Amino acid sequence: MKFEVAATTNPIDQLKVIGKPTDRIDGPLKTTGTAPYAYERHDVVPNQAYGFIVGSAIAKGRIGTIDSNAAKSAPGVIAVVTTLDSAPLPNGPMNAANLFGGPDIQHYHQAVAVVVAESFEQARDAASLIRIAYVPVHGQFDLAAAAPHAPLYGGDSGEGSGAPPEHRVGKFEEAFDAAAVKLDETYTTPDQSHAMMEPHATIAAWQGDRLTLWTSNQMIAWGKRDVAKALGIPPENIRLDSPFIGGGFGGKLFLRADAVLAALAARAAGRPVKVALTRPLVANNTTHRPATIQRLRIGATPEGKITAIAHESTSGNLKDGEPETAVDQTKLLYAGANRLTAMRLAVLDLPEGNAMRAPGEAPGMMALEIAMDEMAEKLGIDPVQFRILNDTQVDPADPTRPFSQRQLIECLQRGAQRFGWDKRNRKPASVREGHWLVGMGVAAGFRNNLLTKSAARVRLDGKGVVTVETDMTDIGTGSYTIIAQTAAEMMGLSLDKVVVKLGDSDFPVSAGSGGQWGANNATAGVYAACIKLRDIVAQKLGFNSANATFSDGQVQSGNRVAALAEAARENDLVAEDFIEYGDLGKTHQQSTFASHFVELAVDVYTGETRIRRMLAVCAAGRILNPKAARSQVIGAMTMGAGAALMEELAVDKRYGFFVNHDLAGYEVPVHADIPHQEVIFLDETDPMSSPMKAKGIAELGICGVGAAVANAIYNATGMRVRDYPIRLDKLLHGLPQAS
Ligand code: MOS
């Protein structure tokens, strides 16, 4: 099905199942510990051996020799595969770092060997016996040092944000010079790690030249494509199966070393092998969100109308890597006739930078939305009002392109009212409760909505049960449930009559999970398949499919009624289709909007920040399952709080690695750190987005939160910290005298 014109009324609009706050259908499996995660799939294939990966101990250079004799003769060892055994394996199109093969080292903890043994402990022990002679060379690990020489560089996050090297509208410099009120500040965000709960893990088994990988991956079709390329085998000989994923956040978008080395190790061992990345390898072997240095310049009239806005970001990556696309939202979020965005890329020898939790907008909004707060203060305008004053309903670079839906003003107004924004004391550092300095902050939220092709297969059986099969993944997001809701709504069934099977590369290719595109596209693909199944059912029953209605397990047409199951009495009925898109994503700018409000307190003695309450008001099309969507958004808000206050990979600038490479050293917040989180979804449907009229929601919940926290810290303390994370040591020197 091609979606080319705005949606009109369709069966989803019945909202009998869609739009209801529904518990997860996979909840019982999760809460009883019976959801099968990759490393624990002992049942899928017998005789599994254990692989342990050795990571490079240098960041740059090459390997002279590897002595694995002692490892090979250690107890229980079955095989050792080293990077010198093969040429570099070809990369997938979205990755820069070499996953395995050849003597050259591009980054610290690059995989250089895998040891296979009867037990995990034997594999780990033997791995420690491998002796490697390195030939290190000097590397560049310091973004601040490299930034002044970094050339302009365009790029794409692969998740809906991107920008050319430089993008201009009007005459920025002239307008900025002439502006009555100006801001010119620089903000920094650090390297960050995905820190998902489940590490990357794969069990690999060969049957002849056919390879099966039970793995943990967000994008099954990309994974299959990249395994084929890396190993030089036909894609049809590869199967990936990833039904449950313990968090991905972008770190599992791509093929990683666990899958490749499990496959190579299984071939060498002649039996199935399982491999998980250790925590240090999750940080240093995979990808991460690269640090940014962002300069914002804003010029405005005395009345607060923006006349000039510039956002320039510098980030680092390996050669052939992409920049962090932190300037993208600044092309679209606020009005203003004269505009400049630019990105620069410094070549660094740190592990590869790539997509993490709203790449582009998440760090970009952390800078832009502090700048907006600073500018509002210079103008003497309330920060909510300043944003409203500079709203735009069209793409500022091309006024012929309207937003498909844009309720940013409504998000801000509704949020201000709900949060009690009028009780905020405008004067910083003026609210004191004992040893706590109390403040409130606000920021806008923005993230694009991406339309991508997505397919599904649906099967009706003689018991009236519909089974959905698609290679869509559920990375903890609720895909199982919204897909079941979609099929139930379309076929007129209750949820218990729908079975959903996900994550298997033998199923039709879906949108996958990334860039908050999963929910809208994957359910739209199921919608398309169900439209086809409805036709087949109507035909089978001898009904006119144009006016057949499906509800309560029955099909009705005119005065004729039949049980849905009746249509499949003799044979299962199967339909497969996909959604693909015309130009609605080009003629209209499709984005999602939010307001984020934060109240927090800073300890006047220690500088410790405690968030007291957070509110997000979101406008993101139809909300398919308000319960699952709320879970996504409060999780995202918690990530935003982490980015503001604690998340930071510490770079060892001598040896080029991330020092705090585990969950003890890399701090992330949990929900319990924030006593009160509220989410409001504005009533919205977006007929341009798909037949579901839904859009992405999860990553919207991150974008802007960090700045709302930073702005609240300013309001509480009078200290404007522009370098994230805002740890207590950045506040201590400027806190008011404790008394
Ligand atoms: Mo992407 S960072 O996997 O949503």
Side-chain angles (χ1 to χ4, degrees):
M1 172 185 291
K2 189 153 188 181
F3 183 72
E4 290 179 289
V5 293
T8 53
T9 303
N10 67 44
I12 296 295
D13 295 320
Q14 299 174 101
L15 300 180
K16 288 182 180 168
V17 194
I18 287 288
K20 297 267 187 289
T22 306
D23 286 352
R24 293 186 183 211
I25 60 172
D26 51 324
L29 288 176
K30 297 262 178 85
T31 51
T32 56
T34 49
Y37 288 89
Y39 199 74
E40 293 140 6
R41 301 192 70 180
H42 315 295
D43 56 327
V44 290
V45 62
N47 203 25
Q48 298 172 14
Y50 292 81
F52 190 91
I53 295 177
V54 179
S56 168
I58 63 165
K60 192 174 187 182
R62 83 189 157 76
I63 291 178
T65 57
I66 299 181
D67 178 357
S68 45
N69 285 326
K72 279 178 180 154
S73 54
V77 170
I78 302 159
V80 177
V81 180
T82 84
T83 193
L84 300 182
D85 296 345
S86 63
L89 306 183
N91 270 338
M94 299 172 84
N95 287 118
N98 177 25
L99 273 185
F100 195 67
D104 293 331
I105 300 300
Q106 297 173 325
H107 65 90
Y108 188 84
H109 267 180
Q110 179 178 318
V112 294
V114 59
V115 178
V116 187
E118 296 292 344
S119 76
F120 171 79
E121 289 77 9
Q122 288 171 328
R124 182 178 57 183
D125 176 56
S128 72
L129 302 175
I130 292 183
R131 289 291 166 262
I132 301 176
Y134 294 100
V135 185
V137 300
H138 180 74
Q140 176 59 265
F141 312 118
D142 186 343
L143 177 63
H149 322 289
L152 287 165
Y153 203 98
D156 191 316
S157 69
E159 286 205 354
S161 65
E166 192 176 82
H167 182 249
R168 288 178 173 274
V169 179
K171 294 184 171 163
F172 169 75
E173 282 82 359
E174 284 175 31
F176 184 69
D177 283 347
V181 182
K182 297 180 221 198
L183 168 115
D184 182 352
E185 291 291 354
T186 296
Y187 308 83
T188 67
T189 63
D191 295 284
Q192 297 175 338
S193 187
H194 303 90
M196 71 293 279
M197 201 177 287
E198 181 205 23
H200 302 70
T202 301
I203 299 169
W206 294 87
Q207 296 108 337
D209 54 6
R210 296 182 63 81
L211 173 66
T212 304
L213 300 171
W214 293 273
T215 189
S216 182
N217 190 295
Q218 297 172 230
M219 298 293 296
I220 298 303
W222 294 3
K224 181 167 160 169
R225 173 196 68 197
D226 293 353
V227 174
K229 192 172 175 199
L231 301 183
I233 56 179
E236 57 271 21
N237 285 1
I238 298 163
R239 178 174 166 238
L240 265 68
D241 187 35
S242 189
F244 289 95
I245 297 152
F249 313 145
K252 294 175 183 166
L253 285 170
F254 315 116
L255 177 67
R256 303 310 316 162
D258 59 303
V260 171
L261 272 72
L264 294 177
R267 190 148 65 187
R271 59 189 265 200
V273 172
K274 65 162 70 176
V275 176
L277 297 189
T278 58
R279 286 285 163 195
L281 263 69
V282 174
N284 280 298
N285 174 274
T286 72
T287 58
H288 72 288
R289 191 205 301 283
T292 66
I293 301 170
Q294 302 180 49
R295 182 185 184 193
L296 261 300
R297 284 174 285 172
I298 305 176
T301 66
E303 297 76 35
K305 281 278 187 191
I306 294 174
T307 53
I309 184 164
H311 191 168
E312 297 163 90
S313 174
T314 304
S315 55
N317 213 333
L318 293 167
K319 192 175 127 336
D320 304 328
E322 294 273 324
E324 179 70 30
T325 53
V327 304
D328 179 79
Q329 73 288 320
T330 309
K331 294 184 289 183
L332 293 164
L333 191 49
Y334 298 113
N338 302 286
R339 323 174 67 86
L340 162 66
T341 55
M343 297 192 296
R344 292 177 181 80
L345 182 64
V347 174
L348 297 182
D349 300 298
L350 292 170
E352 176 175 337
N354 215 313
M356 177 180 136
R357 311 190 207 148
E361 283 103 318
M365 292 291 282
M366 287 167 75
L368 173 63
E369 290 295 295
I370 298 185
M372 288 295 286
D373 200 67
E374 296 198 63
M375 197 62 192
E377 188 180 39
K378 280 176 189 271
L379 288 157
I381 300 176
D382 180 272
V384 170
Q385 207 47 45
F386 180 50
R387 290 175 172 88
I388 291 173
L389 203 54
N390 289 288
D391 187 57
T392 174
Q393 291 292 316
V394 295
D395 176 350
D398 178 2
T400 65
R401 288 180 75 236
F403 286 91
S404 60
Q405 294 278 350
R406 178 171 166 131
Q407 296 201 70
L408 176 60
I409 291 179
E410 292 76 4
C411 290
L412 288 160
Q413 288 173 334
R414 180 83 183 272
Q417 190 185 24
R418 175 75 192 173
F419 202 68
W421 185 249
D422 58 347
K423 295 189 189 66
R424 170 180 179 262
N425 192 322
R426 258 190 193 196
K427 191 163 164 278
S430 53
V431 179
R432 181 91 181 247
E433 286 175 14
H435 59 103
W436 294 105
L437 299 164
V438 183
M440 287 190 204
V442 66
F446 176 94
R447 176 77 168 150
N448 279 328
N449 183 56
L450 269 193
L451 304 179
T452 63
K453 186 175 173 180
S454 192
R457 182 161 57 225
V458 288
R459 176 190 310 270
L460 172 68
D461 70 19
K463 294 198 175 92
V465 171
V466 168
T467 301
V468 185
E469 293 175 333
T470 164
D471 83 353
M472 180 60 191
T473 48
D474 190 325
I475 63 174
T477 37
S479 308
Y480 278 103
T481 311
I482 56 171
I483 284 172
Q485 288 175 273
T486 303
E489 192 77 79
M490 291 300 292
M491 301 312 297
L493 294 171
S494 53
L495 270 183
D496 61 332
K497 289 277 190 281
V498 179
V499 174
V500 180
K501 296 182 175 174
L502 300 182
D504 188 329
S505 64
D506 287 348
F507 298 156
V509 174
S510 73
S513 297
Q516 74 168 8
W517 65 59
N520 178 51
N521 294 295
T523 55
V526 174
Y527 171 96
C530 286
I531 289 282
K532 229 180 201 178
L533 184 59
R534 286 164 61 113
D535 277 350
I536 294 169
V537 167
Q539 218 166 30
K540 189 86 186 171
L541 295 171
F543 289 9
N544 175 4
S545 72
N547 66 8
T549 57
F550 292 67
S551 66
D552 302 323
Q554 295 190 317
V555 191
Q556 187 164 8
S557 173
N559 55 7
R560 298 176 60 198
V561 181
L564 180 66
E566 181 63 21
R569 195 157 50 107
E570 293 155 18
N571 296 106
D572 289 3
L573 302 181
V574 182
E576 182 173 333
D577 201 2
F578 52 81
I579 193 86
E580 64 178 344
Y581 296 91
D583 287 335
L584 288 172
K586 298 191 187 86
T587 57
H588 292 72
Q589 177 59 39
Q590 296 200 12
S591 304
T592 61
F593 298 88
S595 63
H596 290 292
F597 290 83
V598 171
E599 182 180 314
L600 53 72
V602 177
D603 189 302
V604 74
Y605 296 104
T606 66
E608 178 188 5
T609 297
R610 288 282 166 188
I611 294 179
R612 292 184 167 186
R613 58 193 183 101
M614 307 176 86
L615 167 68
V617 182
C618 304
R622 170 174 281 151
I623 301 303
L624 303 173
N625 178 344
K627 192 170 190 176
R630 176 184 179 275
S631 293
Q632 285 296 96
V633 176
I634 62 173
M637 290 156 75
T638 307
M639 292 177 181
L645 297 175
M646 54 186 80
E647 284 194 61
E648 176 177 26
L649 284 167
V651 181
D652 184 315
K653 297 195 180 95
R654 302 160 304 167
Y655 298 112
F657 68 97
F658 300 129
V659 181
N660 49 343
H661 45 44
D662 56 41
L663 293 179
Y666 186 85
E667 297 196 355
V668 294
V670 296
H671 287 300
D673 289 322
I674 305 164
H676 189 81
Q677 294 181 306
E678 185 178 5
V679 183
I680 294 171
F681 298 112
L682 293 188
D683 198 10
E684 179 176 300
T685 50
D686 192 335
M688 308 280 182
S689 68
S690 81
M692 304 303 293
K693 305 173 188 172
K695 292 198 275 200
I697 180 71
E699 292 178 333
L700 174 66
I702 309 176
C703 301
V705 173
V709 172
N711 296 339
I713 288 176
Y714 175 73
N715 182 243
T717 65
M719 294 186 66
R720 190 63 85 173
V721 180
R722 300 186 184 87
D723 298 301
Y724 291 102
I726 308 173
R727 293 188 315 256
L728 51 82
D729 54 290
K730 296 180 188 174
L731 294 171
L732 273 178
H733 68 92
L735 290 173
Q737 204 65 38
S739 58

